[in-house]
Amino acid sequence: MSRVLELTDVETGYGEVQVLWGVTLSVEENKMTTLVGANGAGKTTTMRAIMGVVKPWKGTVRFLGEDVTQLTPHEKAQLGLVLVPEGRQLFADLSVAENLEMGAYSPRARNNLDANIKRVYELFPRLFERKKQKAGTLSGGEQQMLAVGRGLMADPVVLMIDELSLGLAPVLAQSLFGTLKRLKDEGLTILLVEQNVHLALALSDYAYVLAEGRVKIEGPSHQVARDDEVREAYLGV
Amino acid sequence: GLTVSKTGKYNVESVNQLNGIKLWQKWINDQGGIPVGDKKYKVELKFYDDESKAERVQQLYSRLISQDKVDFLISPYSSGLTAKAAVISEQYGKIMIATGAASDSIFKLGYENVYQIYTPASRYLTATLDMLKAADPNLKKIAIVYEDSKFAKAVATAAKDYAKKIGFDVALFEGYPPSTTDFGPIINKVKASGAEALVGGGHYADGATFARQLYEQQATLKMIALLVAPASDEFAQLGDAAFGVAAPSQWEPLVKYNPNCGVTPEEFVKMYEEAYGKTPAYRAAGGFAAGLVLQRAIMDAGSIDADKVRAALDKMDLTIFFGKIKFSTDPASHGLQLGHDMVQIQWQKKDGELMKEIVWPLDAKTSDLIYPIR
Amino acid sequence: MIEIVSSILDGLLIGLVYGLASIGLTLIFGVMDVVNLAHGAVISLGMFSLYFFFGAGLHPYLALIPVAIIGFLLGVLIYQIAVRRILDGPPLMTLLATFAVSMIIVGIGTALWSTSPYNVNFKVQTLNIFGYTVTSARLIAALAAVLVTFMLYYFLYRTTLGKAVRAVSNNREAAELMGIPSQQILAISFGIGTALAMLSGALIATLFPFTILSGSIYELKSFVASVLGGLGNPTGALFGGVILGLIEGSVAPFIAISWTNVIEFVIFVLILLFFPTGLLGGRK
Amino acid sequence: MKLLKAPLFWLIVGVTAIFALLPLLSNNITLRETLVLSAIYIILAANLNLMIGYTGYVNFGSIVFFGLGGYLTLWLVGSHHWGLYSAVLVAGVSVSALAFLLGIGILRLRGAYFALATIGVNEAVKDFVSNFDVWGGSEGIFLPFTAYKAMGGAGKALWTVYLLIVLVMGSSLLLSLAVRRSKFGLGLFAIREDEDAAVVLGVKAPLYKTLAYSLSAFLPAIAGGLYFFKNGSVVPEEAFNLNLSIEAIVMVMLGGQGTVTGPTIGAFLYERLRGMLLTIPGLSNFHMVIAGVLLLLIILFAPGGLMGWLYRIWPRLRRVLE
Amino acid sequence: MKPAILEVRNVTKAFGGLIAVKDVSLTQYQGEILGLIGPNGAGKTTLFNVINGVYKPTSGEVIFEGQKISGLPPYEVVRRGLARTHQIVKPLNEMTVLENVTVGACFGPQNLPLEAAQEVAAEVIEFTGLGKYADVLAGKLNIALKKRLEVARALAAKPRLLLLDEVLAGLNPSEVAKMLDVIRAIRDQGISILMIEHIMQAIMSLSDRIVVLNFGEKLAEGSPDEVANDPQVIEAYLGDPEMAKRILEEEEA
Ligand SMILES: Nc1ncnc2c1ncn2[C@@H]1O[C@H](COP(=O)(O)OP(=O)(O)OP(=O)(O)O)[C@@H](O)[C@H]1O
Ligand SMILES: Nc1ncnc2c1ncn2[C@@H]1O[C@H](COP(=O)(O)OP(=O)(O)OP(=O)(O)O)[C@@H](O)[C@H]1O
Ligand SMILES: [Mg+2]
Ligand SMILES: [Mg+2]
């Protein structure tokens, strides 16, 4: 089993404030890996550091065996490392279809554009109905579908999703989780950040618990889910 | 001392004027300086760039007076900047010879130390209108179209009154903003008014553009006379559009004045051509004249004491290469130029080449007026 | 009557040229929220470039091609030097940076060419249609304005690169995450905006004489036109320009010319009060 | 008063005193004329900062207040033989009132739309005044010399006007400080950061920003009256010079918007930079280029303005130099 | 039954052709926590915006403490004692947390002078657990802290009715539990609360009553139990709450 994505001792932060204090983790092919942690633990920052949106101060990010630490976000995206960011970040004035097209901007994704767009519309028939509508006027749930759909258009090798269910109605969150499980079953590698820790641990294969910018606990998800400390601190039981 | 607009909207005119002043300085210093009694004063010039901006003028004139300790001032170019400088010169009782400033109104504010070289705006176009009357006694309708700036508006307003007085019908009297480049709407109005002749204009840029578009838009006018622009040699660049356009001018290289002091026009032109490699335009002559007038006043006064020089200026009645010079001593318009008169030029073709000819007054003419032009 | 009609037609034609002048401005604003104070200086440069290509013997309309290319390169240069570093800084800094660029361009221009007027002297035909006189240069400039707007529209809404420009203008970070090289796209956009400004300057130079300071008049008109149409909206800019031209053309026959500007600006402010984001709607 | 305890209060008083006394004691007119321009720029920048820095509304056309103040003053003094003091006061109050009415309308616009609309206002007023014959149209108003005689001759009058301008400068800075430390200022800052949020929190934004706009017109109008009185004339292009308006923004940003000290230093440095470049001989043709390059370098390397840069290298300064 | 503090009467709000809220009526009683739930885009936030005056209703009216408040601008509404938080947070970025909260205290119903407001703000900051961030610029906080800042600002106004829009989003279950304590404490101060939330355990345990919106219309209303068992609500909104448990069991099997 191969490690598609590996972080070694990554440290970074904003301005002078250090947020990550040496994060080491890896993501394996065809698995879903979950990142759990309190508010401000550094989950989003970890993902941003992986993408290079914030530059790591120290440490390395390896993707498919290559050191990609110094690449810019768009170069990483073109290699197949794709992030669905916290807060959706859609192109609000572009139509749904144009948003999806922009998801497939990188050359490797453009080749599969037609197949991918079909797949996304199959996964989210709702988006097909609204493909001419401006993304900014979609409802919250639809926007989240579009964000995931746009990520899939980039033909990801690893799909990273930050806060999949934030602000979604329960019924929608469930259906998106269902979709994610299907994608995983189809062979996609996924790194997930999710506050609905019960569900996330239930669905994923491996989990890391982040606290104050460090990995505190790691292991197969079902084990982590039974860890007493985790249960108390993050599951509220 | 003086400021010069090396940059900004007046830079061409102002630098020409400076060239004239510098030439005067060289000329007088070559003679050992200004003779006063048995001493000779060398002339030293001090000048700064005012960027054509009013807010700098006062700062720099104060600097000239209190830091550089100059004895006499020459004005910046343009009436607007001169007015600012005048407040400062007046405050220190420093004499300022105003050249390149044709406004009447500055001299009606009660200043006591400012003296004007140019023919004032109120008399700028009167001779032009006389000339038109002489050329075509039957012509009635004229249009007066002017740049909406202090100088041109004053000229145009005076011209309107004079035109009515000598029997013209002013069919259109209208200003355009100083930054105008598109004269289409104005030309449409000129056409609609039925005017047969047009006088007006303002400064160089607008005048040249106006003349060109009058030509392109095929406005049929028997005479076109514009301020300032046609008097410059650059006006020839307009080619066919320049043909026939007339202008009042403060001075022309070909004028034949018989000066009772200083250089003759020919001598001046020759000196200027040697120094700068081109024929002087009237602004350069005005610059030289300013120096000359100052020099003469100092000589008359026999001193560089401001009060004595002022008295000499008040008494002055000269003809120099630039024409007559006499200042008003009426307290209500002290310093206003009374002696000097305008000449009229017209662009004509000699052997297919555009030439500036003097066509008025008749005793100074180098060629006959072409009329009608289109 | 014919005077009124021709005045309005003149207004329409000049309005299209105003529109063209403002498209570059509105594009740069739309993509990166930069109010480009170097716009006028660049327009002046366009005028002078045309002058020199023409002086070198090139036909003025042919010269538009090298002018546009120079404009593009200049825009990329300005972006890389003056804008790029501070795009993420405090919001107004780009205003200062472009103002500084404007000072540099105008300063160099003044030193080289003084502030006296230049003229591109080429023979233009005068067309006479039903008693209405129009020079071919005006007609061509107006048509060029329409054509360029159409091409820009096609580029932005039909090509992938154009859509990427819009995507970057919507959300730079997200664009980057989707593999769009945002810095490159921004530089290209600034280049296109600058090229458009240079082009409009060049076309204006075929109509009117100009100085290094002339661009500032068109910069002002560009502000007005692009706000009227809705900032960031290229078609809106053309539309705004036409409105300006029409105002000028239709009030001129009835009142003193010097009042047109007053009316124009008063109408401008009034329209804004009722359509706070321009007539066609633009970015907020 | 708590204000009296602020170190900055005393600093402002001190700087104002230096401005007043330095040329007075040395009887140095060049210095005075140099400082008067600095003082005017500081007044323009400090008051503009009330809008840009405090309220977050970029006023491109702030010079319109200055120009109108100048026109009103010269008209009252010249044509109606008012005294200078009453004329500038009336000018200040009426321009401020006019700004209030205007503000009710155009402050409904946001962001770049507001900024560009203010250009429209300035240009409309300029073109209107150019056509307005009561104020001399494009010829402007020229003061008869008797106006200075009434104040004891030009020499004395110009000194008096200078001291008044310095006083207005001091008042502008104290106003900036007072607003900054008041509840009114807190409301303005909230509007600057997020107007919608401010409104939901209870800030009467429409009233507050209109008040700020009107307030930012008062002292510049008085300064305009004094300045053009000193010049002896006022014409539309000088009174409503858009470029000066934009330069005022440059000064505010250069020093650091939103602070009291920043715009002051920005204005002073900017004026000195331009003024010095003008009088250095060899540079004559390139002073604008050099000013542009210097400006660009400052912007690129201290994008938070000078105060931002100072605060960064010396954080404790924030408490003293607000 | 206690007297009503807020009455929404037949409110409709349309954006162009889109009707976001359609003829909705509801009543909140003094001291009560009223939950507002519904699918994404159902019009919950829009209803908040109508109540606090950000939008004028297209028709209908809003009565607060017996007085009509619809049509008043938001700053008037706050001054009458009705504060809110934003779903999409709106921190005053370049101001510190303390200054942010001071704005709330300063311009609220009490219209406090600056210094008194600063004292109130300091108390509220402690109460909401933002104490150690008091001097941090609000823009530097992460989303969860910004949400808490929203609560603190609204609370500093000392309102009698508080509207909370998804203040629990983005918190993990333990953090949700802590925040629930804060909300209860607020209620115990006598402040009525109207809250929107998608986290079911939270809203079900907290609310006295719940109103469900769907496509802009009121779908159901009642006690948490009644609503949770309403088949219409289950279909439109709740789905299968047991899914997580089921998946977990499947995996293990
Ligand atoms: N743009 C920023 N500037 C400064 N500090 C930031 C910024 N973004 C995040 N931080 C800080 O970095 C720390 C980690 O934030 P991060 O967003 O990575 O946390 P998280 O684990 O994703 O939390 P959440 O569950 O709230 O999403 C927090 O203390 C936050 O205040
Ligand atoms: N300003 C607006 N202009 C146009 N449409 C709007 C506007 N605000 C909201 N809408 C639309 O109104 C509908 C209701 O939106 P609202 O924000 O009230 O939903 P919500 O119930 O709060 O959803 P969520 O749970 O996702 O926050 C949506 O379809 C939304 O797109
Ligand atoms: Mg996060
Ligand atoms: Mg909502």
Side-chain angles (χ1 to χ4, degrees):
Chain A
M1 210 161 284
S2 69
R3 295 175 165 188
V4 197
L5 180 66
E6 283 182 270
L7 271 69
T8 323
D9 271 332
V10 170
E11 295 187 13
T12 190
Y14 303 91
E16 272 139 39
V17 185
Q18 183 158 359
V19 174
L20 299 187
W21 300 83
V23 171
T24 301
L25 58 81
S26 59
V27 175
E28 293 190 9
E29 201 176 349
N30 294 350
K31 297 278 161 163
M32 188 190 291
T33 308
T34 302
L35 223 49
V36 177
N39 269 153
K43 305 179 293 295
T44 300
T45 307
T46 304
M47 294 216 164
R48 290 160 70 90
I50 294 175
M51 283 310 290
V53 177
V54 293
K55 286 257 173 273
W57 299 348
K58 263 174 84 179
T60 53
V61 179
R62 300 178 76 79
F63 178 58
L64 298 173
E66 306 273 326
D67 184 345
V68 296
T69 319
Q70 295 307 325
L71 297 188
T72 61
H74 73 263
E75 286 166 336
K76 290 184 185 166
Q78 296 190 352
L79 292 175
L81 199 51
V82 174
L83 172 65
V84 175
E86 194 174 35
R88 295 161 202 156
Q89 312 261 21
L90 296 175
F91 305 123
D93 292 333
L94 270 61
S95 68
V96 169
E98 285 173 332
N99 265 277
L100 293 176
E101 189 185 335
M102 284 301 111
Y105 187 86
S106 58
R108 61 187 292 274
R110 223 175 293 174
N111 296 331
N112 297 336
L113 190 130
D114 292 334
N116 280 338
I117 212 158
K118 219 171 122 224
R119 180 166 75 141
V120 169
Y121 283 148
E122 268 168 27
L123 283 173
F124 305 111
R126 192 63 177 268
L127 293 183
F128 184 72
E129 289 164 27
R130 317 225 151 198
K131 64 182 176 185
K132 292 253 162 65
Q133 195 174 331
K134 275 193 182 178
T137 65
L138 295 175
S139 89
E142 291 159 354
Q143 291 196 10
Q144 189 71 6
M145 292 179 206
L146 182 55
V148 175
R150 189 181 62 177
L152 288 173
M153 290 300 295
D155 221 357
V157 176
V158 175
L159 181 65
M160 301 188 279
I161 304 181
D162 197 353
E163 308 267 11
L164 180 71
S165 71
L166 183 85
L168 290 188
V171 64
L172 250 172
Q174 289 155 21
S175 105
L176 263 174
F177 273 110
T179 306
L180 220 56
K181 189 163 153 39
R182 248 173 67 204
L183 289 171
K184 188 193 102 176
D185 293 344
E186 285 170 28
L188 189 66
T189 309
I190 297 172
L191 176 61
L192 182 71
V193 169
E194 174 57 42
Q195 293 293 14
N196 191 336
V197 186
H198 293 277
L199 253 179
L201 289 179
L203 277 173
S204 63
D205 303 292
Y206 201 83
Y208 291 87
V209 177
L210 225 56
E212 287 167 1
R214 294 185 172 87
V215 174
K216 206 165 166 207
I217 299 169
E218 66 175 287
S221 297
H222 57 273
Q223 275 179 23
V224 172
R226 291 209 189 82
D227 186 300
D228 285 340
E229 201 179 334
V230 173
R231 287 166 74 87
E232 190 190 331
Y234 306 105
L235 295 174
V237 271
Chain B
L2 70 153
T3 72
V4 179
S5 307
K6 289 200 155 184
T7 50
K9 59 182 173 185
Y10 300 133
N11 80 325
V12 179
E13 294 90 340
S14 188
V15 168
N16 266 329
Q17 181 167 302
L18 177 67
N19 285 344
I21 300 171
K22 279 182 175 163
L23 188 65
W24 164 72
Q25 177 200 17
K26 182 167 172 300
W27 174 75
I28 188 71
N29 284 348
D30 286 349
Q31 300 172 30
I34 303 176
V36 174
D38 34 321
K39 273 201 288 188
K40 284 200 170 188
Y41 286 97
K42 284 263 187 195
V43 176
E44 197 187 314
L45 269 187
K46 192 87 204 171
F47 55 88
Y48 298 114
D49 181 7
D50 56 37
E51 289 183 305
S52 311
K53 280 186 186 160
E55 67 259 26
R56 291 286 168 199
V57 166
Q58 292 199 335
Q59 184 182 355
L60 293 171
Y61 269 89
S62 307
R63 184 187 168 103
L64 286 168
I65 294 169
S66 63
Q67 201 149 318
D68 300 325
K69 309 245 181 276
V70 302
D71 295 303
F72 297 98
L73 298 169
I74 294 178
S75 72
Y77 182 79
S78 87
S79 301
L81 298 185
T82 299
K84 308 284 176 301
V87 176
I88 301 293
S89 76
E90 204 58 36
Q91 180 193 344
Y92 297 99
K94 288 279 176 203
I95 289 170
M96 180 163 83
I97 308 292
T99 179
S103 150
D104 295 67
S105 57
I106 300 174
F107 299 92
K108 297 187 170 155
L109 297 172
Y111 292 155
E112 286 157 7
N113 297 294
V114 189
Y115 292 88
Q116 184 177 37
I117 296 292
Y118 277 21
T119 303
S122 56
R123 291 193 287 121
Y124 238 81
L125 279 175
T126 49
T128 314
L129 292 167
D130 288 337
M131 176 175 81
L132 182 60
K133 195 87 203 167
D136 186 352
N138 297 323
L139 185 135
K140 284 235 68 96
K141 280 192 167 177
I142 63 165
I144 300 179
V145 177
Y146 57 95
E147 183 196 40
D148 208 351
S149 67
K150 182 171 174 51
F151 159 69
K153 189 172 181 190
V155 171
T157 312
K160 183 172 85 172
D161 296 341
Y162 188 72
K164 283 189 181 148
K165 206 171 95 190
I166 63 173
F168 286 116
D169 169 11
V170 180
L172 179 70
F173 180 77
E174 190 154 323
Y176 55 82
S179 56
T180 305
T181 52
D182 176 15
F183 286 87
I186 303 253
I187 293 171
N188 283 328
K189 285 180 118 167
V190 172
K191 286 180 182 170
S193 74
E196 293 171 280
L198 181 142
V199 299
H203 288 97
Y204 182 80
D206 57 301
T209 314
F210 194 9
R212 179 174 160 193
Q213 290 180 20
L214 276 169
Y215 176 75
E216 281 173 1
Q217 313 249 332
Q218 302 175 335
T220 36
L221 291 162
K222 290 181 176 157
M223 189 176 95
I224 301 170
L226 297 175
L227 298 169
V228 181
S232 306
D233 290 330
E234 292 98 329
F235 197 70
Q237 284 174 4
L238 292 186
D240 287 344
F243 178 76
V245 178
S249 175
Q250 293 281 354
W251 180 84
E252 282 302 313
L254 298 172
V255 290
K256 304 187 172 35
Y257 292 120
N258 285 319
N260 55 16
C261 133
V263 296
T264 64
E266 294 82 34
E267 283 167 357
F268 169 68
V269 172
K270 190 156 156 284
M271 267 188 333
Y272 193 90
E273 282 172 346
E274 274 168 17
Y276 299 104
K278 54 182 180 191
T279 318
Y282 70 87
R283 291 183 209 94
F288 196 98
L292 204 57
V293 166
L294 181 61
Q295 167 197 341
R296 182 59 196 235
I298 294 172
M299 284 158 65
D300 289 351
S303 154
I304 57 167
D305 176 70
D307 288 331
K308 291 186 184 150
V309 175
R310 199 177 301 118
L313 282 165
D314 284 343
K315 272 199 304 226
M316 187 174 280
D317 188 356
L318 286 178
T319 302
I320 57 170
F321 78 101
F322 193 69
K324 279 205 207 143
I325 299 288
K326 181 171 169 47
F327 302 105
S328 164
T329 50
D330 178 352
S333 61
H334 182 264
L336 190 72
Q337 182 55 247
L338 297 179
H340 190 255
D341 271 320
M342 307 296 287
V343 296
Q344 306 295 318
I345 61 105
Q346 186 180 35
W347 285 91
Q348 302 189 346
K349 271 192 180 152
K350 273 222 178 91
D351 313 325
E353 185 111 341
L354 276 167
M355 294 283 290
K356 212 162 44 167
E357 302 288 356
I358 298 176
V359 294
W360 188 272
L362 293 174
D363 53 3
K365 76 175 179 185
T366 57
S367 172
D368 286 330
L369 177 71
I370 297 177
Y371 182 92
I373 57 166
R374 275 174 208 155
Chain C
M1 198 53 218
I2 186 77
E3 283 80 23
I4 298 175
V5 175
S6 58
S7 178
I8 291 177
L9 282 176
D10 271 349
L12 178 69
L13 294 184
I14 198 73
L16 287 168
V17 175
Y18 292 158
L20 178 62
S22 45
I23 289 172
L25 185 80
T26 216
L27 177 72
I28 289 175
F29 181 85
V31 174
M32 54 200 103
D33 268 341
V34 171
V35 175
N36 181 12
L37 291 180
H39 188 67
V42 170
I43 290 179
S44 299
L45 275 189
M47 297 169 167
F48 277 91
S49 317
L50 187 85
Y51 177 85
F52 288 113
F53 281 117
F54 177 71
L58 216 55
H59 188 279
Y61 295 122
L62 220 54
L64 294 179
I65 297 166
V67 168
I69 294 171
I70 293 176
F72 182 81
L73 297 177
L74 177 72
V76 171
L77 189 74
I78 294 177
Y79 176 77
Q80 297 292 5
I81 293 178
V83 179
R84 176 183 181 147
R85 284 185 59 124
I86 48 171
L87 211 48
D88 296 319
L92 283 170
M93 288 322 271
T94 53
L95 207 70
L96 294 202
T98 54
F99 180 75
V101 170
S102 163
M103 277 171 80
I104 295 171
I105 295 178
V106 172
I108 293 177
T110 310
L112 293 180
W113 308 310
S114 81
T115 41
S116 45
Y118 283 67
N119 219 328
V120 175
N121 252 320
F122 79 109
K123 287 271 175 280
V124 292
Q125 245 117 53
T126 307
L127 311 176
N128 216 313
I129 313 161
F130 306 118
Y132 164 65
T133 326
V134 57
T135 61
S136 55
R138 273 187 192 220
L139 213 55
I140 290 173
L143 288 179
V146 177
L147 187 71
V148 167
T149 314
F150 177 77
M151 278 165 43
L152 185 67
Y153 185 85
Y154 184 87
F155 169 74
L156 286 177
Y157 288 85
R158 294 283 178 274
T159 66
T160 302
L161 186 59
K163 287 176 195 172
V165 168
R166 286 165 55 223
V168 169
S169 83
N170 257 262
N171 192 326
R172 199 152 9 118
E173 189 175 310
E176 190 73 12
L177 289 176
M178 290 347 295
I180 303 175
S182 59
Q183 283 302 337
Q184 207 174 318
I185 298 277
L186 290 173
I188 290 175
S189 307
F190 211 95
I192 295 177
T194 308
L196 289 172
M198 290 266 289
L199 264 185
S200 68
L203 281 169
I204 292 167
T206 64
L207 306 179
F208 310 127
F210 50 88
T211 72
I212 187 71
L213 304 175
S214 298
S216 64
I217 304 164
Y218 294 95
E219 179 172 306
L220 204 60
K221 298 273 184 201
S222 301
F223 283 148
V224 174
S226 45
V227 170
L228 277 183
L231 276 169
N233 178 342
T235 356
L238 192 71
F239 181 67
V242 169
I243 290 187
L244 270 193
L246 285 179
I247 294 176
E248 288 179 9
S250 50
V251 302
F254 305 105
I255 51 160
I257 300 287
S258 48
W259 284 96
T260 26
N261 274 342
V262 185
I263 294 180
E264 191 170 296
F265 284 115
V266 168
I267 292 181
F268 165 63
V269 174
L270 285 182
I271 290 182
L272 271 185
L273 292 185
F274 292 101
F275 299 89
T277 57
L279 288 169
L280 297 191
R283 271 170 85 96
K284 281 161 206 122
Chain D
M1 276 285 282
K2 251 186 76 181
L3 218 51
L4 297 183
K5 285 199 215 117
L8 194 54
F9 176 88
W10 296 106
L11 206 60
I12 292 172
V13 172
V15 167
T16 310
I18 290 175
F19 261 72
L21 294 178
L22 217 54
L24 202 58
L25 295 183
S26 62
N27 199 17
N28 181 340
I29 310 285
T30 318
L31 183 62
R32 186 191 79 191
E33 289 300 319
T34 304
L35 287 180
V36 83
L37 212 50
S38 297
I40 291 284
Y41 282 7
I42 290 175
I43 294 168
L44 292 179
N47 286 284
L48 177 61
N49 186 40
L50 294 180
M51 283 307 284
I52 294 191
Y54 288 13
T55 320
Y57 276 73
V58 182
N59 186 353
F60 262 118
S62 59
I63 202 72
V64 73
F65 307 138
F66 182 69
L68 278 177
Y71 258 100
L72 269 172
T73 305
L74 261 62
W75 181 60
L76 291 174
V77 173
S79 311
H80 298 266
H81 311 292
W82 285 38
L84 178 64
Y85 303 111
S86 41
V88 289
L89 257 156
V90 167
V93 171
S94 7
V95 171
S96 212
L98 192 72
F100 190 85
L101 295 179
L102 186 67
I104 293 174
I106 64 169
L107 280 161
R108 292 192 312 191
L109 302 173
R110 299 246 183 126
Y113 290 93
F114 172 80
L116 297 176
T118 57
I119 293 188
V121 168
N122 184 58
E123 294 303 295
V125 171
K126 172 164 115 191
D127 291 326
F128 173 78
V129 171
S130 304
N131 283 289
F132 187 51
D133 287 330
V134 178
W135 284 356
S138 53
E139 289 183 57
I141 301 179
F142 281 70
L143 267 191
F145 206 64
T146 47
Y148 301 109
K149 293 218 173 102
M151 293 177 68
K156 194 148 169 269
L158 293 193
W159 272 115
T160 315
V161 170
Y162 173 73
L163 293 177
L164 287 175
I165 289 177
V166 170
L167 190 69
V168 174
M169 178 190 87
S171 318
S172 296
L173 296 179
L174 289 182
L175 180 71
S176 282
L177 180 64
V179 170
R180 195 185 154 80
R181 297 189 149 217
S182 69
K183 180 171 167 177
F184 176 58
L186 186 68
L188 294 184
F189 288 150
I191 293 173
R192 173 189 74 192
E193 292 302 321
D194 187 332
E195 188 167 341
D196 294 330
V199 165
V200 167
L201 289 170
V203 179
K204 284 187 185 167
L207 177 68
Y208 269 50
K209 59 192 184 182
T210 311
L211 280 176
Y213 189 63
S214 168
L215 196 62
S216 78
F218 180 64
L219 289 169
I222 292 182
L226 296 170
Y227 178 71
F228 287 106
F229 179 84
K230 177 187 97 74
N231 270 359
S233 65
V234 58
V235 293
E237 299 91 76
E238 288 162 16
F240 308 107
N241 177 357
L242 189 63
N243 216 40
L244 185 55
S245 234
I246 294 177
E247 287 181 13
I249 300 179
V250 172
M251 298 168 207
V252 172
M253 303 292 301
L254 194 63
Q257 64 184 94
T259 62
V260 178
T261 329
T264 314
I265 299 182
F268 188 77
L269 287 184
Y270 186 84
E271 196 284 326
R272 279 296 68 215
L273 175 69
R274 297 303 303 271
M276 258 153 50
L277 288 174
L278 278 181
T279 46
I280 295 176
L283 295 179
S284 56
N285 277 327
F286 285 95
H287 59 79
M288 214 161 137
V289 183
I290 293 171
V293 170
L294 285 177
L295 190 60
L296 192 57
L297 288 177
I298 297 174
I299 297 160
L300 292 179
F301 294 101
L306 289 172
M307 291 322 284
W309 179 68
L310 284 175
Y311 288 163
R312 218 177 42 227
I313 54 175
W314 198 14
R316 281 184 49 197
L317 203 64
R318 206 181 273 269
R319 260 178 261 152
V320 187
L321 294 180
E322 293 174 47
Chain E
M1 195 139 252
K2 287 181 174 165
I5 185 164
L6 179 76
E7 286 174 73
V8 173
R9 293 186 187 155
N10 305 95
V11 161
T12 296
K13 174 68 200 174
F15 299 104
L18 178 104
I19 300 176
V21 175
K22 202 167 175 181
D23 197 26
V24 169
S25 299
L26 57 83
T27 303
Q28 168 153 29
Y29 300 102
Q30 219 131 51
E32 176 184 53
I33 296 183
L34 180 61
L36 186 59
I37 62 174
N40 296 108
K44 305 179 293 294
T45 301
T46 306
L47 184 61
F48 268 25
N49 281 330
V50 170
I51 292 173
N52 91 317
V54 172
Y55 298 141
K56 274 198 182 113
T58 311
S59 67
E61 54 184 18
V62 180
I63 310 290
F64 176 64
E65 295 181 335
Q67 281 175 319
K68 182 176 160 204
I69 56 165
S70 43
L72 294 179
Y75 50 82
E76 287 298 337
V77 174
V78 195
R79 281 171 191 232
R80 288 175 189 222
L82 195 165
R84 75 168 285 185
T85 67
H86 296 97
Q87 177 181 7
I88 317 259
V89 291
K90 293 177 188 274
L92 309 172
N93 286 324
E94 293 291 309
M95 294 162 75
T96 63
V97 167
L98 180 66
E99 284 167 336
N100 265 267
V101 181
T102 308
V103 174
C106 229
F107 297 95
Q110 327 215 307
N111 203 10
L112 295 175
L114 195 56
E115 274 155 51
Q118 274 161 347
E119 282 164 27
V120 171
E123 279 167 30
V124 172
I125 285 174
E126 281 309 322
F127 176 73
T128 49
L130 284 170
K132 67 176 174 175
Y133 301 101
D135 290 326
V136 176
L137 293 184
K140 296 247 150 97
L141 301 178
N142 70 12
I143 301 217
L145 289 173
K146 282 176 183 163
K147 293 223 160 187
R148 208 172 293 184
L149 177 61
E150 285 279 342
V151 177
R153 269 189 336 198
L155 213 50
K158 304 264 179 222
R160 292 182 294 284
L161 174 60
L162 183 59
L163 311 187
L164 301 176
D165 196 347
E166 295 199 28
V167 290
L168 303 178
L171 303 186
N172 71 37
S174 312
E175 292 162 335
V176 168
K178 274 181 229 149
M179 196 66 184
L180 291 184
D181 292 339
V182 173
I183 296 175
R184 285 198 186 97
I186 294 173
R187 192 249 309 263
D188 294 344
Q189 293 178 3
I191 298 173
S192 314
I193 294 173
L194 175 57
M195 64 186 295
I196 299 174
E197 204 51 71
H198 286 302
I199 299 177
M200 279 309 109
Q201 318 86 288
I203 193 112
M204 292 293 171
S205 73
L206 210 52
S207 307
D208 300 312
R209 279 185 314 127
I210 289 181
V211 171
V212 189
L213 291 188
N214 192 22
F215 291 110
E217 290 178 280
K218 193 154 86 174
L219 183 72
E221 180 172 3
S223 71
D225 268 350
E226 286 163 8
V227 166
N229 293 315
D230 183 327
Q232 271 183 303
V233 176
I234 292 175
E235 188 192 332
Y237 182 66
L238 290 175
D240 177 2
E242 300 298 307
M243 188 175 100
K245 229 178 257 171
R246 259 201 358 255
I247 293 174
L248 216 54
E249 282 157 9
E250 264 174 42
E251 296 277 313
E252 274 167 30

